Amino acid sequence: MSEAKENDKNLDRLTPREIVAELDKYIVGQKKAKRAVAVALRNRTRRLKLDPEIREDIAPKNILMIGPTGVGKTEIARRLARLANSPFIKVEATKYTEVGYVGRDVESMVRDLMAAGIQMVKQEMQETVTAEAEKRAEEALLDLLLPGPGKKRKEAKAGKPVVRPMGTFSINPDSGEGGAGLIGTAIQVGIPSFFKSGPAPDSVTDAKDSPDTESPETPDGGREEASAGERSATREKIRTMLRDGKLEDKTVELMVNQSPQFPSFEMLGGGMEEIESSLSGIAGFFGGSKKKKVVSVARAREILRSEEAEKLIDRDLVSDEARQRVEQTGIIFIDEIDKIAVRGDRGGGPDVSREGVQRDILPIVEGATVNTKWGPVNTDHILFIAAGAFNVSKPSDLIPELQGRFPLRVELDSLGKDEFLRILTEPKNALIKQYTGLLGTENIEIEFTPEAVERLAVLAADVNSRLENIGARRLHTIMEALLEELSFEAPDIAPASIPVTVDYVNEKLSGIVTDQDLGRYIL
């Protein structure tokens, strides 16, 4: 949790201006949208500093982003969530249907956000117990490489994996004929296993007759101490070899946890999440099963480390912390909200796939309590950011109540040649840096001249103006067309150094420059 607290401190120190500066490292332009989300994020930290009485009355100011595809709407929300270390999910409004129809119900977005919060908190908590998990995993690995005395014989005797029972029950316990009653144990597969009450002669052996039982009194105590000392010395030698990486390729047989698998099925209505939650609870009640796997020492270390870290963290604490973080700092990005807006010229009654979804989204955005398998989650203070192109419909086509729940509206600008030029070079993850790094792995060095980069920006803007405007995504298709032949031949011509000039760009993209039917070349 120290990392989470450190992130909170860093976020507390970030002013809106600094938040915008952080977003500028990855997103070009869109100052209005960046300022809006920066203020919304800062208001969250301000609200948490207030007295509880007034804190609960301050609701987040949800944001509606309006702009064509590919201008940075989703990236702004995603980068904001990473900056705030907040649980974040992106959902498509078109994936949901009104309650009672086949499809996902809108409450599932809150369950998905809670699952993201659980994963985030669990990962942070596991990082705090890494050292102890490593230590325990090493000891477990040594047990696999050097089993203790009698261990192999005991494992060989156990013909079947042990299954944790649900409980026991009795049948005719008061038998009047002197015979023993029957007791049953419900096992994982749900089939009762019956045994005679009392010890069975074939299954129970006296301790003195068991070859695997270690007796406290041995005829030769000195030999036992010597044997224990030899095992200890051998164990330390193996430990040294293990730490030096000399046993990484050696294989070991490992028992791994395996959750019970239930058949997948579908049903009408929107209750699948509840069914999945119930099945998960049943799986936890049965306790799963063990499965033998033969893996390398390196892989076994990873499996054991993960299992030990899982044991060391408090699941209840994870759920409580994740719920708190989701309710106070969670962000849900609803994309394509314009696709469920009812057009003004449509007329007629309610539309199941459009207005019905809006009516179901409304209480979630207003504030409701959603049941999840980790407990109820309140959505009063979750920040909702909706986005859409609104090229067919318009924001006023949304139902008035939903419009009122998105008081901040930001219109994002279309991208032109200047923005494309900056996208190619300025961000930390600029496209030219990505492709240079990819081909660099094949010992192919490419260097773009400034004139070539400008030519690419001009072509992208030109194609967007002639065809559908898909924003910055057009640069991906331009770059793929430019470097397709080089990417294909890279392993055969490496090592090589290839300058990308204006002539190279014109040659590779000549079809785009000359043909009027650009759709045949650029999707």
Side-chain angles (χ1 to χ4, degrees):
M1 298 306 297
S2 58
E3 182 180 350
K5 293 180 180 178
E6 186 64 25
N7 286 332
D8 292 341
K9 292 179 181 178
N10 293 336
L11 183 60
D12 189 46
R13 289 194 295 265
L14 283 175
T15 65
R17 191 181 304 277
E18 291 171 335
I19 294 173
V20 171
E22 289 293 323
L23 295 176
D24 283 339
K25 294 178 180 179
Y26 300 96
I27 304 151
V28 170
Q30 314 303 352
K31 292 294 183 184
K32 293 180 182 178
K34 291 175 182 176
R35 288 170 64 94
V37 298
V39 171
L41 186 59
R42 185 66 176 182
N43 281 338
R44 291 191 133 192
T45 60
R46 292 166 178 164
R47 187 185 72 84
L48 294 176
K49 296 178 181 179
L50 297 175
D51 293 333
E53 292 79 7
I54 190 173
R55 181 192 307 167
E56 293 302 317
D57 296 330
I58 299 178
K61 304 303 183 288
N62 299 321
I63 302 170
L64 177 62
M65 294 184 181
I66 305 168
T69 182
V71 296
K73 302 186 295 291
T74 305
E75 191 65 15
I76 288 175
R78 182 180 291 113
R79 292 291 175 182
L80 185 75
R82 291 183 185 179
L83 188 62
N85 193 38
S86 300
F88 170 82
I89 59 165
K90 173 185 178 292
V91 299
E92 303 286 340
T94 54
K95 295 290 183 67
Y96 300 101
T97 60
E98 189 176 357
V99 171
Y101 292 84
V102 178
R104 301 198 73 190
D105 66 283
V106 295
E107 289 187 351
S108 64
M109 68 174 68
V110 181
R111 299 187 186 99
D112 292 342
L113 182 66
M114 186 62 187
I118 289 287
Q119 183 63 30
M120 176 183 291
V121 174
K122 182 185 292 185
Q123 185 175 356
E124 291 177 359
M125 286 189 172
Q126 286 179 347
E127 289 175 357
T128 63
V129 297
T130 299
E132 181 63 23
E134 290 273 5
K135 181 180 177 182
R136 294 191 179 189
E138 184 181 80
E139 294 299 326
L141 200 53
L142 288 172
D143 290 339
L144 293 174
L145 293 169
L146 185 67
K151 186 172 182 179
K152 286 186 176 179
R153 285 174 291 172
K154 290 180 181 180
E155 289 180 350
K157 233 179 177 184
K160 298 181 180 180
V162 178
V163 177
R164 188 170 65 190
M166 290 175 56
T168 59
F169 57 90
S170 60
I171 300 177
N172 192 23
D174 300 322
S175 177
E177 300 178 1
L182 294 177
I183 61 172
T185 301
I187 60 176
Q188 180 179 330
V189 295
I191 303 174
S193 174
F194 296 96
F195 304 95
K196 285 283 185 179
S197 60
D202 294 336
S203 60
V204 179
T205 310
D206 286 339
K208 62 181 180 180
D209 298 331
S210 174
D212 294 332
T213 305
E214 296 183 3
S215 174
E217 298 180 3
T218 58
D220 192 349
R223 182 178 301 174
E224 183 180 355
E225 292 179 2
S227 177
E230 291 174 0
R231 287 198 304 271
S232 177
T234 304
R235 187 180 182 89
E236 292 306 314
K237 289 180 181 179
I238 295 178
R239 187 193 304 273
T240 302
M241 295 174 65
L242 197 60
R243 292 178 177 177
D244 292 341
K246 297 179 180 179
L247 303 176
E248 296 298 288
D249 297 331
K250 182 180 176 62
T251 59
V252 293
E253 188 177 73
L254 185 65
M255 299 292 291
V256 298
N257 293 322
Q258 186 180 27
S259 299
Q261 299 296 319
F262 296 96
S264 60
F265 60 92
E266 296 182 359
M267 64 176 295
L268 297 180
M272 282 303 301
E273 282 79 11
E274 288 85 351
I275 296 175
E276 291 173 1
S277 177
S278 300
L279 291 179
S280 299
I282 295 173
F285 187 74
F286 279 119
S289 61
K290 294 282 188 178
K291 178 182 178 181
K292 285 186 179 181
K293 291 184 69 175
V294 178
V295 296
S296 65
V297 168
R299 177 60 181 154
R301 184 187 291 107
E302 295 177 6
I303 296 174
L304 292 170
R305 186 192 302 124
S306 177
E307 290 184 354
E308 294 300 332
E310 187 77 21
K311 295 175 184 177
L312 288 169
I313 62 174
D314 187 342
R315 294 187 179 183
D316 293 334
L317 186 59
V318 169
S319 299
D320 294 341
E321 174 65 23
R323 188 183 307 111
Q324 174 74 12
R325 193 175 298 188
V326 164
E327 291 180 345
Q328 301 300 327
T329 67
I331 299 175
I332 295 180
F333 182 81
I334 307 176
D335 202 6
E336 307 293 349
I337 198 169
D338 58 315
K339 302 302 187 296
I340 63 170
V342 180
R343 294 189 294 273
D345 58 351
R346 187 175 179 86
D351 190 325
V352 168
S353 63
R354 293 171 180 250
E355 189 173 331
V357 178
Q358 294 184 57
R359 290 196 303 267
D360 287 346
I361 289 179
L362 181 61
I364 303 296
V365 179
E366 285 181 337
T369 300
V370 177
N371 290 322
T372 72
K373 62 182 178 182
W374 299 282
V377 175
N378 188 276
T379 67
D380 285 342
H381 300 288
I382 293 176
L383 177 63
F384 290 87
I385 302 177
F390 289 99
N391 51 358
V392 177
S393 60
K394 50 187 182 295
S396 58
D397 291 334
L398 296 169
I399 60 176
E401 296 86 354
L402 191 58
Q403 293 182 49
R405 280 296 164 178
F406 290 90
L408 300 181
R409 296 186 182 180
V410 183
E411 187 170 353
L412 284 80
D413 303 321
S414 297
L415 303 178
K417 173 220 165 186
D418 294 338
E419 288 77 20
F420 287 145
L421 187 61
R422 295 177 57 194
I423 290 171
L424 285 169
T425 56
E426 289 185 10
K428 279 189 173 183
N429 57 349
L431 275 180
I432 286 181
K433 297 177 183 177
Q434 293 180 24
Y435 281 94
T436 301
L438 285 173
L439 290 173
T441 61
E442 302 275 7
N443 287 330
I444 299 295
E445 182 181 353
I446 57 174
E447 183 177 354
F448 289 80
T449 64
E451 295 79 12
V453 176
E454 186 172 357
R455 179 60 176 162
L456 290 172
V458 170
L459 282 175
D462 183 48
V463 174
N464 268 353
S465 65
R466 292 169 180 259
L467 297 178
E468 189 72 24
N469 184 3
I470 60 173
R473 294 186 178 94
R474 185 69 66 187
L475 289 173
H476 290 273
T477 58
I478 290 282
M479 292 292 291
E480 283 294 329
L482 175 69
L483 300 174
E484 180 182 11
E485 183 179 350
L486 182 58
S487 297
F488 182 82
E489 297 178 351
D492 302 323
I493 64 175
S497 179
I498 300 175
V500 179
T501 62
V502 175
D503 293 337
Y504 185 92
V505 172
N506 291 334
E507 177 188 352
K508 298 300 180 183
L509 304 178
S510 58
I512 297 174
V513 176
T514 58
D515 202 297
Q516 293 298 318
D517 187 11
L518 303 180
R520 294 171 54 193
Y521 298 92
I522 296 294
L523 299 178

